[in-house]
Amino acid sequence: MSAAAPPGPPRNGTIAWALGFLAYIPVPFLGLVVAGITQLVVGLGQRKHGGLAAVNGVRAANWGLTQLCWPLLLAISMTIGVLTGSPSPSGGGGIVFTPVMNGVVFTVLGLYFLVAVMEAVYAIVGTVKASKGLEVRLPVIPFLRAPRA
């Protein structure tokens, strides 16, 4: 007669939120992209466990997608800025953005850094709440719906 294996730890989606700390890989811009993709993939993987893990996992996946919007918007605004800009008058090979595109690029860049700060807060709050068995409710863009119970 063999003893049954003890049950594993309860599944609550903590891992999907804790992976947000990958945003602090010391390579500029890469950290947030890696964290966003990882939270998206792992968060969606939590659906198979059902219950609280699925709910918290999908919310972490939504946060991952929200994070990924900013590098994309930054790349798009930089591309438009380059395409609508003019060659540098000093002849250094650079591009001078139009005043409007300067404002757009710097606004998106500022929002990108705000998301980086929010990632620290969200990773801490999400990890702590999920590890306590609570539903994580943080404001994110709801790209994906949590499965119904």
Side-chain angles (χ1 to χ4, degrees):
M1 190 183 305
S2 65
R11 305 271 184 179
N12 49 25
T14 302
I15 187 69
W17 284 103
L19 287 169
F21 290 109
L22 288 173
Y24 298 98
I25 293 172
V27 178
F29 298 100
L30 182 64
L32 275 179
V33 172
V34 168
I37 292 169
T38 306
Q39 284 185 289
L40 172 64
V41 171
V42 173
L44 290 176
Q46 295 294 302
R47 285 201 230 182
K48 67 183 174 198
H49 301 298
L52 186 60
V55 171
N56 284 341
V58 169
R59 290 203 176 121
N62 279 329
W63 173 238
L65 280 171
T66 301
Q67 289 176 78
L68 291 173
C69 287
W70 299 110
L72 181 64
L73 286 174
L74 185 58
I76 290 170
S77 64
M78 292 290 287
T79 302
I80 293 171
V82 167
L83 293 175
T84 60
S86 57
S88 174
S90 65
I95 300 288
V96 177
F97 289 177
T98 63
V100 170
M101 284 313 300
N102 264 339
V104 169
V105 168
F106 283 110
T107 299
V108 172
L109 187 60
L111 290 171
Y112 183 80
F113 287 114
L114 177 64
V115 168
V117 171
M118 287 174 58
E119 175 55 41
V121 174
Y122 276 34
I124 292 167
V125 172
T127 301
V128 169
K129 287 185 116 185
S131 69
K132 290 181 178 180
L134 301 172
E135 200 172 297
V136 179
R137 292 181 180 259
L138 295 169
V140 299
I141 300 171
F143 293 105
L144 308 165
R145 290 180 44 170
R148 296 177 192 254

